[in-house]
Amino acid sequence: MKKNIFTMLFTLTFLILPLITYGSPPFFEGKTMRIMVGVSAGGGFDLHARILARHMPKYIPGKPTIIVENVTGAGGLICANQLYKAVEPDGLTFAHFNGGFLFAQALEQPGIEFDARKFGYLGCIAKENAVLWVTKASGLRSIEQLMASKTPVKLGGTGIGAYAPDSIIRIWKAVSNMPVQLVTPYKGGAQVRLAAEAGELAGSVISWDAMKAAWPKRFETGEAFVLLQAVEKPMKDLPKVPTDMILAKTEEGKKLIEVGVHLNNIFARPFVIGPNIPKDRLEILKAAFEKTMKDKEFLAECEKSRLPVDAVTGDELERAVMNAFKTPKPILDKLKDVIYKQ
Amino acid sequence: MVELLNAFISGLTQIFTFSTFMLMLVGIAIGFIVGILPGLGGPATIALMLPFIVKMNAVEAFAILLGMASVLGTTGDITSILFGVPGEPTAAATILDGHPMAKKGEAGRALGAVLMSSLVGAIFGAFVLALFVPIVRPLVLTFSSPELFMLAVLGLTFIASLSGGAMLKALLGAGIGLFLSTVGMDPQTGIQRFTFGQVFLWDGVGLVPITMGFFAIPEIIDLGIHRSSIAKEKVKKIGGVIEGVKDTFRHIWLVIKCSAIGTFCAIIPGLGPAVSQWLAYAQAQQSAKDKSRFGKGAVEGVLGPGASNNSSMGGSLITTVAFGIPASVLMAILIGAFLIQGLVPGPDMLIPDTKGGHLSLTFSFVWIIVISNIITVGICLLFLNQLVKVTYVRGSVIIPIILLLVYLGTFAEKNAFPDIILMLFFGVLGWVMERLGWPRPPFILGLVLGNLAETRLFLAVDSYGASWLLRPAVIVIMALTFAGVLIPILRSRRKGKTEEKEGVTEKEQGDRTDKKALGIRFTWSAAFSLFIIIVFAWALWYSRKFTFTARFFPMVIGIPVLIFAIIQFILDLTGKGKKVVEEVPGGEHEFEAKLPQDVVNRRTAGVFAWTFGWFLGIWLFGFNLGAPLCTFIQLKLGEREKWVLSLALTFVVWAFVYLVFDRFLNVPFPKGQFFLWTRHLF
């Protein structure tokens, strides 16, 4: 009997002692976290979140389980609104939706029920990095040829307010009188590519990574060409393709491209968390996100799926969003006109 | 050619490795477990499987996913037939004749027919996929925006066959459906059309809440009025499963034709099974000698949609594999699987492996579809006779279960609570339409074709100006459209003349409607027509604020609808509109005639009250508590069932909702309002 009590005391000491010395177990331990994805399952957007959900737990103390839940509707706006209004501020739920809605708030668009300045920002796995591409059949080989075209060049869009193609094409047209005709709305990038293949369109403006994944050989074999890139500095594998800054002739034009195209590019695919999250939890998640971006298995899995990794940290992302809101009013008004007016 | 054959055979042998075959069986098993639950259907489950396939090789990954998908296509039909609840929006056409067959006690036969025709369809679609490999790319590229618009118009001509004789009402219904497709944010102009500031309406009205409401709610009410089991008669031999299998081969030509329709529609981006099921149903009706049997349990009406649904799997894989264009959510997830496997949908998938392509993988898809369908149908046939017994369970017990399936199915498609409200609205609308002899299929057909027609018309004009009208394929489809409209008119004229000679009286039909008419002159029919007039007059007035492009389609559809509605109203007022009421779905009111009117009214009110009571329960207490609570209250207090039965069923419902949906599938149920109100108390 005595021996038993002794054993019990011994065991208890060794069970309880670690708890006392190391404090209470980490908050995330044994918890299930959710990533709400604003689009339906299957696309690159959704897959990024799913791969993240597999690897991020390693870097969160307590190794929670992360599940992905598709909250679709209104292009992701329902997801963004829900994150702001209806999610418990416990740090267990974050979201991945079209970052264009964050800018849409700065442009006073309807339907927005959140304040982007109050969200928490974890980071981005990739930027959009869009390019203007055309098919061989269009006959166009350079941006100069396109600018000199007598008839409008038909470029496909996927609907008003879509960062790429629609908004970028509208901004370019506004700053340079580019002879292009935006034919819209096709249901998604795949339909645009199909219409271009069928000769209905000359091309479009779509993420370079998505184009490389969908048409892996055509840009090498000369069946399609990249004429212009919608980024600040040329991308590594497109060193000779001009950036869209060459279109801007005035200071205002430069500013429109800077804000409407390049700044938006940074927060096009954000991972966002709701407002009023306890600061320590937010910091844990931000750090975990950043570490995951360098995780070997995570990178290998993205590469196998041909998904881009061009990470943005939480702080960079937050700065970009705040900068969008600090843009001078005349520029925002002009962008509102260019992007949304008929 | 030899290379093609080699790849074809290699595709088959790849499946018969141990791990691949086992994974296919696992996929089939999972498909069975979730496929039988309406609405939850494939997408959610297949998305759940995505993380698991990272470590598999390509054939294994697709064995499990396609195996699962094949079952889901088949099982959706089962709830349609047994309960009148569409397992998926693509299984709605199966209800029209499948459920009446179940009511006649022929559920076994209907299930046998739908399964066998599904199998034939699936195999047909799969082999078309295989045969089309060399020509699929040029074929699909023929269909640009102008052709796609014309195909949508051609599809609309099938309204005539779906009218059940009530032509004006069918046109009106299709017009309303087309108009409803404009609800949402117009992607071209960004203008909110008829969304009333509700973000959940930006994408328009979903197909699941509409088909659920339209078909399931009237069936529940019907069941509540009769208070009997679903099957109202016991049929011995002819109701058997084997009979249904035999039916498939009796009408094998129809089954093949409908398989072709399903495959073709699936190849064309934007059409797909949501459309082809109705075209197949119309085809079944057209080719039958005695059209009056349709809607009352004609087996052809089950065979057609059954075949076309499953054949669409092969068809939609064609566009998925060759272009990376997903024809459905399910296919979008399969593309995700392609990505995870590092594969690129596109020309490479159609090039033999010896030349650096993945043709044998593509062919393995064909074999997976064929084999998993054979296994699925085999298993189903074994258990069908057990399933059929459900139609003999008494109504009081079965109604709560059906209500649960309807509410869960509607919610789980998009995890959106507002869809439930839409479902109730369309449930009431569908019930009114059914009662007043308005055919519902044209409405759905208009709805599913509206978007395609509108966007492709604008894209065609934007890209080609007026010259799109002169494209050869457009002219061919246009000729087909005219033929499709004119031939039935001419045929019916000729038939009309002979019928006049034979002296077929329309008086009988007229008499039947008189029973339904509750007023003297200003009947319920007239009231409903007036309602349509008011709604459309308002909608047209409202759309005046839109820009030209956003207004164009609503105007072009809305004005004729308004005119037709006025004509219908006048016909209703004068009593002339009553001649034609032979509706396509559900001509089963013969039972009701035996019940006194006040009993019918009282029971209708009762079953409506339960339906809305469930809504209230779920809204107040969430699914986890609300659904079991409603089940218990309805069984014990409403129907005065025994304690044991009430408690047992309540437990089953709770386990189903909480364990399967909440815990296992992680369906994010919204919290009950009651708990939100009282949050600060706990």
Side-chain angles (χ1 to χ4, degrees):
Chain A
M1 193 64 197
K2 227 177 191 178
K3 203 180 170 190
N4 272 353
I5 291 172
F6 194 74
T7 327
M8 258 169 73
L9 273 175
F10 187 81
T11 326
L12 275 175
T13 324
F14 272 84
L15 272 176
I16 294 167
L17 205 66
L19 292 182
I20 297 167
T21 33
Y22 295 102
S24 53
F27 167 75
F28 291 101
E29 193 170 306
K31 298 274 186 353
T32 299
M33 297 181 64
R34 285 172 194 271
I35 308 180
M36 302 180 352
V37 175
V39 294
S40 51
F45 216 87
D46 170 73
L47 278 182
H48 259 152
R50 284 178 196 274
I51 297 178
L52 183 76
R54 287 163 54 78
H55 296 285
M56 193 164 145
K58 283 182 252 190
Y59 300 103
I60 304 173
K63 290 193 183 165
T65 312
I66 304 187
I67 59 167
V68 171
E69 170 197 314
N70 301 88
V71 182
T72 57
L77 182 54
I78 289 191
C79 173
N81 284 343
Q82 210 166 312
L83 179 72
Y84 192 81
K85 292 190 306 183
V87 169
E88 294 282 323
D90 52 10
L92 290 178
T93 306
F94 58 101
H96 185 38
F97 53 82
N98 172 6
F101 287 118
L102 303 172
F103 195 53
Q105 188 203 340
L107 301 187
E108 299 159 329
Q109 289 306 297
I112 285 160
E113 296 162 17
F114 57 78
D115 185 350
R117 288 163 294 192
K118 292 185 182 156
F119 275 137
Y121 292 94
L122 303 185
C124 306
I125 299 179
K127 298 174 194 147
E128 190 72 22
N129 295 342
V131 295
L132 165 58
W133 55 270
V134 291
T135 58
K136 188 182 180 186
S138 71
L140 301 168
R141 299 291 179 269
S142 70
I143 187 69
E144 290 78 21
Q145 270 181 339
L146 185 145
M147 295 304 282
S149 172
K150 293 267 157 39
T151 51
V153 176
K154 285 168 196 152
L155 301 181
T158 55
I160 199 160
Y163 167 68
D166 295 59
S167 297
I168 296 183
I169 296 174
R170 278 164 171 256
I171 293 170
W172 286 352
K173 228 178 133 176
V175 300
S176 70
N177 287 320
M178 205 182 211
V180 293
Q181 182 195 348
L182 174 61
V183 181
T184 197
Y186 289 87
K187 274 212 169 91
Q191 298 266 10
V192 171
R193 286 197 304 270
L194 180 68
E197 262 189 87
E200 192 167 296
L201 299 169
S204 182
V205 178
I206 291 179
S207 146
W208 175 227
D209 295 298
M211 284 315 290
K212 274 190 295 188
W215 284 359
K217 289 178 197 148
R218 294 188 203 196
F219 291 96
E220 290 158 29
T221 54
E223 283 174 75
F225 299 89
V226 177
L227 306 187
L228 196 65
Q229 42 187 331
V231 288
E232 229 176 312
K233 289 183 198 128
M235 285 181 260
K236 271 185 203 146
D237 51 350
L238 295 172
K240 289 181 188 156
V241 177
T243 69
D244 53 356
M245 243 344 154
I246 61 157
L247 298 175
K249 299 287 179 278
T250 60
E251 273 311 304
E252 191 204 47
K254 274 185 192 150
K255 202 75 194 159
L256 291 181
I257 290 183
E258 247 175 61
V259 177
V261 181
H262 298 168
L263 192 60
N264 266 267
N265 187 29
I266 299 175
F267 55 76
R269 317 178 75 165
F271 284 85
V272 185
I273 197 160
N276 307 321
I277 307 294
K279 190 120 202 325
D280 54 329
R281 289 182 209 166
L282 179 62
E283 289 309 319
I284 288 174
L285 293 177
K286 272 162 84 171
F289 188 91
E290 208 175 326
K291 281 180 200 149
T292 314
M293 293 305 108
K294 290 169 194 143
D295 180 87
K296 276 194 188 125
E297 289 172 38
F298 169 80
L299 291 170
E301 219 167 279
C302 285
E303 198 186 320
K304 189 187 174 197
S305 308
R306 292 166 202 263
L307 289 170
V309 179
D310 178 9
V312 178
T313 65
D315 292 332
E316 284 170 339
L317 170 63
E318 187 171 356
R319 217 173 305 132
V321 175
M322 295 308 166
N323 280 341
F325 280 89
K326 284 180 201 149
T327 310
K329 186 95 173 41
I331 298 291
L332 287 180
D333 285 344
K334 178 82 185 180
L335 279 171
K336 186 175 165 183
D337 250 26
V338 169
I339 295 175
Y340 294 104
K341 216 175 176 185
Q342 299 309 304
Chain B
M1 201 59 216
V2 180
E3 277 170 331
L4 276 181
L5 210 64
N6 273 340
F8 194 58
I9 293 163
S10 139
L12 178 64
T13 51
Q14 283 181 42
I15 301 171
F16 286 103
T17 59
F18 181 73
S19 62
T20 311
F21 198 76
M22 285 316 284
L23 283 169
M24 185 170 77
L25 292 183
V26 170
I28 292 173
I30 299 173
F32 262 112
I33 296 165
V34 293
I36 205 95
L37 318 174
L40 183 70
T45 324
I46 293 198
L48 278 179
M49 299 308 294
L50 276 179
F52 297 105
I53 68 167
V54 179
K55 299 234 155 64
M56 302 175 192
N57 70 37
V59 184
E60 288 170 346
F62 288 102
I64 190 166
L65 292 178
L66 282 175
M68 200 192 292
S70 299
V71 189
L72 294 168
T74 308
T75 44
D77 290 324
I78 295 179
T79 46
S80 292
I81 289 172
L82 293 179
F83 306 121
V85 177
E88 282 170 72
T90 52
T94 316
I95 296 177
L96 300 188
D97 277 287
H99 192 56
M101 280 180 83
K103 288 182 184 172
K104 286 200 292 184
E106 292 186 339
R109 185 180 171 198
L111 288 171
V114 86
L115 286 173
M116 204 57 214
S117 61
S118 291
L119 179 59
V120 175
I123 294 175
F124 182 93
F127 282 110
V128 168
L129 165 64
L131 278 176
F132 273 33
V133 158
I135 56 158
V136 52
R137 289 184 59 87
L139 178 80
V140 173
L141 288 173
T142 327
F143 292 96
S144 287
S145 298
E147 288 80 16
L148 290 173
F149 169 71
M150 283 312 300
L151 281 177
V153 175
L154 178 64
L156 285 172
T157 60
F158 281 80
I159 292 165
S161 322
L162 295 170
S163 69
M167 198 56 202
L168 186 60
K169 286 177 176 173
L171 280 175
L172 261 169
I176 298 171
L178 283 166
F179 199 92
L180 201 69
S181 77
T182 68
V183 170
M185 188 180 88
D186 173 24
Q188 202 181 9
T189 59
I191 287 174
Q192 309 288 335
R193 295 190 294 198
F194 315 107
T195 56
F196 313 106
Q198 299 296 316
V199 178
F200 80 91
L201 281 175
W202 280 27
D203 297 325
V205 184
L207 205 51
V208 167
I210 292 189
T211 41
M212 278 286 186
F214 252 40
F215 295 104
I217 296 288
E219 293 306 339
I220 292 171
I221 294 179
D222 186 58
L223 203 55
I225 292 173
H226 295 124
R227 305 179 70 89
S228 65
S229 59
I230 290 173
K232 296 183 177 69
E233 294 163 30
K234 274 212 170 178
V235 181
K236 286 278 147 58
K237 229 174 171 184
I238 196 154
V241 174
I242 299 303
E243 197 60 28
V245 174
K246 283 186 193 158
D247 280 320
T248 308
F249 296 100
R250 267 180 219 133
H251 301 280
I252 190 69
W253 183 230
L254 172 73
V255 172
I256 301 272
K257 264 196 290 188
C258 291
S259 304
I261 290 175
T263 315
F264 178 74
C265 283
I267 294 176
I268 307 302
L271 288 178
V275 177
S276 63
Q277 56 172 341
W278 302 109
L279 307 191
Y281 185 81
Q283 179 61 42
Q285 209 180 11
Q286 272 172 4
S287 52
K289 277 192 190 122
D290 179 11
K291 294 180 178 54
S292 65
R293 290 183 299 122
F294 280 81
K296 294 172 194 159
V299 75
E300 295 98 312
V302 176
L303 293 171
S308 87
N309 271 349
N310 278 41
S311 65
S312 67
M313 172 80 110
S316 48
L317 257 177
I318 292 180
T319 47
T320 308
V321 166
F323 295 96
I325 292 181
S328 60
V329 186
L330 215 134
M331 287 295 152
I333 292 167
L334 278 175
I335 289 188
F338 272 88
L339 286 174
I340 289 179
Q341 289 294 327
L343 290 165
V344 181
D348 279 0
M349 296 301 297
L350 309 176
I351 296 171
D353 301 39
T354 45
K355 291 179 185 159
H358 304 284
L359 186 60
S360 67
L361 180 64
T362 305
F363 280 138
S364 77
F365 297 168
V366 173
W367 290 112
I368 294 170
I369 296 179
V370 170
I371 293 168
S372 53
N373 266 285
I374 291 175
I375 295 174
T376 307
V377 171
I379 296 173
C380 282
L381 288 176
L382 283 179
F383 291 105
L384 272 191
N385 283 325
Q386 305 305 315
L387 270 179
V388 168
K389 285 184 185 150
V390 134
T391 59
Y392 294 106
V393 175
R394 59 180 177 280
S396 56
V397 177
I398 208 84
I399 288 178
I401 305 295
I402 299 183
L403 277 172
L404 172 72
L405 293 182
V406 169
Y407 278 107
L408 261 183
T410 308
F411 173 80
E413 193 230 359
K414 285 196 276 184
N415 299 332
F417 194 79
D419 272 354
I420 292 183
I421 299 167
L422 283 178
M423 182 274 289
L424 285 175
F425 172 80
F426 285 101
V428 174
L429 184 69
W431 178 72
V432 171
M433 285 174 79
E434 199 235 54
R435 299 292 306 183
L436 299 177
W438 287 65
R440 287 163 290 172
F443 179 102
I444 306 264
L445 193 61
L447 180 79
V448 290
L449 286 173
N451 255 317
L452 183 70
E454 184 182 18
T455 31
R456 288 298 170 172
L457 175 62
F458 279 111
L459 290 175
V461 175
D462 267 6
S463 282
Y464 302 94
S467 70
W468 70 268
L469 284 162
L470 299 174
R471 290 166 65 94
V474 168
I475 294 171
V476 171
I477 305 172
M478 216 181 279
L480 283 174
T481 309
F482 279 117
V485 173
L486 289 176
I487 290 173
I489 294 178
L490 292 176
R491 208 183 278 163
S492 72
R493 278 221 177 141
R494 215 179 302 149
K495 202 178 151 204
K497 274 180 192 164
T498 46
E499 275 183 4
E500 257 170 49
K501 277 181 205 160
E502 288 165 14
V504 173
T505 54
E506 282 164 339
K507 198 164 166 281
E508 282 174 5
Q509 293 181 354
D511 282 351
R512 251 185 64 190
T513 9
D514 281 338
K515 276 177 208 148
K516 287 182 200 166
L518 299 177
I520 306 161
R521 279 178 71 84
F522 190 77
T523 55
W524 287 108
S525 294
F528 185 60
S529 304
L530 186 64
F531 170 71
I532 295 173
I533 293 172
I534 293 169
V535 170
F536 268 78
W538 172 83
L540 286 171
W541 177 79
Y542 184 87
S543 61
R544 81 196 184 287
K545 287 184 283 185
F546 303 163
T547 59
F548 174 76
T549 36
R551 197 175 52 204
F552 178 79
F553 200 73
M555 285 284 178
V556 167
I557 302 299
I559 292 171
V561 167
L562 191 61
I563 295 169
F564 287 156
I566 293 171
I567 297 173
Q568 181 66 43
F569 180 60
I570 295 168
L571 288 177
D572 286 335
L573 273 186
T574 54
K576 281 181 185 161
K578 284 184 198 157
K579 273 188 207 164
V580 272
V581 284
E582 206 57 41
E583 200 212 343
V584 180
E588 73 283 350
H589 298 300
E590 55 265 31
F591 292 97
E592 216 164 284
K594 294 172 198 158
L595 294 168
Q597 190 60 46
D598 62 317
V599 174
V600 171
N601 288 350
R602 203 173 56 236
R603 288 183 179 176
T604 308
V607 80
F608 261 116
W610 283 119
T611 307
F612 284 97
W614 266 78
F615 169 76
L616 215 61
I618 290 170
W619 180 68
L620 278 176
F621 302 110
F623 271 94
N624 283 337
L625 185 61
L629 197 69
C630 291
T631 311
F632 182 75
I633 294 176
Q634 190 170 5
L635 287 174
K636 188 67 214 151
L637 305 179
E639 306 292 347
R640 297 182 195 285
E641 291 288 344
K642 287 194 182 104
W643 275 101
V644 179
L645 182 80
S646 305
L647 285 173
L649 264 179
T650 305
F651 176 77
V652 169
V653 165
W654 172 81
F656 183 65
V657 173
Y658 180 71
L659 297 179
V660 178
F661 277 76
D662 194 340
R663 303 309 306 177
F664 177 66
L665 292 167
N666 278 309
V667 172
F669 288 128
K671 282 206 179 77
Q673 279 299 318
F674 177 78
F675 301 118
L676 292 178
W677 291 331
T678 56
R679 197 161 27 179
H680 57 280
L681 296 178
F682 299 114

